[in-house]
């Protein structure tokens, strides 16, 4: 499998780390209704990132393991 570019890795890290950091800082003072939109955003972002990576792998003729 070809290596992912540094730009792609930075994007994937930022897409997950940013919201996770926000939740980590807010979690002690927040309740579930306040965290639900953030959790949905993280779920959507991770899903989109996995879809894009899968599409790139398909473009190179690679299969997911």
């Amino acid at each position: 499998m070809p290596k992912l570019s540094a730009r792609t890795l930075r994007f994937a890290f930022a897409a997950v780390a940013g919201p996770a950091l926000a939740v980590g800082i807010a979690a002690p003072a927040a309740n579930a209704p306040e965290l639900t939109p953030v959790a949905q955003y993280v779920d959507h972002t991770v899903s989109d990132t996995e879809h894009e990576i899968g599409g790139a792998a398909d473009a190179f003729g690679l299969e997911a393991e």
Side-chain angles (χ1 to χ4, degrees), residues 3-44:
K3 288 189 173 188
L4 298 175
S5 70
R7 181 176 182 228
T8 302
L9 292 174
R10 282 194 306 267
F11 173 75
F13 177 76
V16 174
L21 180 61
V23 169
I25 291 170
N31 57 30
E34 293 172 337
L35 292 178
T36 300
V38 176
Q40 289 174 343
Y41 172 78
V42 170
D43 184 49
H44 179 72

